[in-house]
Amino acid sequence: MSRGRVRRPGAWVARAVAVGVLVAVTGGCTQGEGGGAGAGASAGTGASGTASARPGGPEPGRPAPAAPRVDARGVPVKAYARWGLAGPLAPVPAAPDRTPVLGKSGPPVVLDRVRTRDKVVFLTFDDGAEKDPRFVRMVADLKLPISMFLTDSVAGSDYGHFRKLRDAGGGTIQNHTTGHANLRTLPYEGQRKQICGQQDRLEREFGSRPTLFRPPYGNYNANTVRAAGSCGVKALVLWRESMQIHNMQYAEGKRLKPGDIVLAHFRGPAELKGSTITEMTTRMLRRIQEQGFTVARLEDYL
C-alpha cells in the first residue's frame, strides 16, 4: 500500500444477534507500512476475509508504481549513470537561504564564499581554451548551472561554443579579462583596458554586460576594484576550492562548506594528463556528493 494513503474500510455492518439491534463492527483500521491487521481479522486479511495489501507493496489490483524517470531537478535519472555518477544530485532549495550582496551602487564586493546555510556549492569555469562538444552534452543532460569566466584571447575563437553551454544548463557568462594579464603588474588604465575591453566583447557576443569578474590568478589590488567598478562589475569572484585532475584543493581545511565557490578550468587532455573535461567534472561532482552537497547557480545567491 502506498505510503501516506488512507485505506477506507469495506462493508462492515453486521446484524446483531439479539433484540434486533444493529451493531456496527469495523473490519480493519487504517494501516501504514508495517501496520497490524484490523480488529476481528487475522493478520494479513481484512474484515471480508480477503488478503490485504502487504506492507510496502501495491494495493490489490494495482500495479507497482514505476521507478521515477526524472528526479526533483528535472534530470532523467539515467543521465547520472551515463556520466559516471552513482545517483542524482540533491535538489536545490526552492527558497535559497541568502543575503543579497550585489548593490546598485558603490564599489564591487570581493567574495570567495556566499553566506548561506544551504548545503550548496557553486561551479565556476575559467579561461575557455577547451571547447569539447561532449561537455555541452554533459551540462545539458545534468542541467549544470555553471558560471563561465571567459578570457577573450582563448575563448574568442569560438564564442558560439560557450553560448551553447550557457543555454544548455542555465549558466552565465562572466568576465576574466581580454588577455589573462596579472593585473597587479598593470597601472589603473592598463587594468581598466583589460576589464572594460572584455566587458564590451562579451556584451556584443552574448547580449548582456557581465556583473561578475574574476581577476586572473586571483591577483588584484585597489586599482583592480576601482577599474572593475568603472566597467559595470558588481563583484570580484575568487574561490575556496580548486578542482585538480582527480581531487579538490582546499583553501582551508579538508572539506566543503556551505556557499563555497569552486574553481575549475576549461582544459583538455593535454593539460589534464589524458583526462577530459567531462571526466574531471564527474570527479568533481562525486566529491561534492560524497560530502552531502549539491550544485546551485551562483547568481541566484548573490
Side-chain angles (χ1 to χ4, degrees):
M1 182 173 181
S2 302
R3 183 186 296 272
R5 293 186 63 181
V6 178
R7 188 176 180 185
R8 299 185 181 279
W12 47 267
V13 178
R15 296 185 179 276
V17 294
V19 206
V21 179
L22 293 178
V23 180
V25 181
T26 58
C29 61
T30 302
Q31 180 175 309
E33 292 184 8
S42 62
T45 62
S48 61
T50 58
S52 61
R54 292 183 179 180
E59 292 183 42
R62 291 178 179 269
R69 295 183 179 182
V70 179
D71 72 358
R73 298 174 65 249
V75 176
V77 173
K78 64 182 180 180
Y80 294 101
R82 181 185 304 135
W83 294 106
L85 298 174
L89 289 164
V92 176
D97 171 55
R98 67 189 187 107
T99 302
V101 297
L102 301 187
K104 293 183 179 180
S105 60
V109 298
V110 180
L111 54 92
D112 57 12
R113 175 184 289 148
V114 173
R115 185 179 299 176
T116 182
R117 291 171 293 184
D118 294 342
K119 293 201 74 174
V120 298
V121 296
F122 310 103
L123 303 186
T124 63
F125 285 77
D126 278 11
D127 303 339
E130 177 67 2
K131 303 171 183 69
D132 186 345
R134 275 181 55 80
F135 189 55
V136 178
R137 173 75 182 277
M138 182 184 199
V139 168
D141 281 358
L142 301 181
K143 298 185 185 298
L144 293 179
I146 61 176
S147 300
M148 295 169 272
F149 290 84
L150 302 183
T151 300
D152 186 68
S153 59
V154 290
S157 62
D158 187 5
Y159 276 131
H161 173 80
F162 301 100
R163 193 174 295 111
K164 292 175 184 176
L165 271 176
R166 177 198 62 185
D167 297 342
T172 64
I173 304 294
Q174 306 295 352
N175 189 334
H176 199 41
T177 72
T178 58
H180 210 270
N182 182 349
L183 296 178
R184 284 200 306 223
T185 68
L186 300 178
Y188 172 78
E189 286 300 332
Q191 295 196 41
R192 193 171 184 280
K193 184 176 180 181
Q194 282 278 329
I195 301 169
C196 289
Q198 185 65 340
Q199 289 284 87
D200 295 340
R201 285 172 173 79
L202 295 177
E203 182 177 23
R204 186 165 58 248
E205 291 288 339
F206 297 97
S208 61
R209 202 165 181 82
T211 56
L212 307 181
F213 168 68
R214 173 167 286 156
Y217 317 106
N219 290 343
Y220 70 98
N221 56 23
N223 279 338
T224 312
V225 176
R226 187 160 64 96
S230 75
C231 302
V233 168
K234 300 298 182 184
L236 273 66
V237 179
L238 305 179
W239 60 91
R240 298 301 299 176
E241 290 82 26
S242 61
M243 184 63 198
Q244 307 302 306
I245 299 173
H246 295 282
N247 288 297
M248 285 189 186
Q249 190 173 76
Y250 298 87
E252 61 179 29
K254 296 181 179 180
R255 293 188 63 82
L256 296 166
K257 294 181 176 61
D260 277 359
I261 296 170
V262 182
L263 166 66
H265 289 85
F266 289 107
R267 289 176 176 164
E271 294 179 290
L272 298 176
K273 297 183 179 180
S275 290
T276 65
I277 187 172
T278 60
E279 291 168 338
M280 179 198 70
T281 302
T282 293
R283 294 173 192 134
M284 178 167 57
L285 293 174
R286 286 175 184 165
R287 304 297 174 264
I288 291 168
Q289 285 184 306
E290 288 164 2
Q291 297 184 46
F293 285 80
T294 193
V295 176
R297 186 174 180 267
L298 173 61
E299 290 75 5
D300 291 343
Y301 278 76
L302 297 181

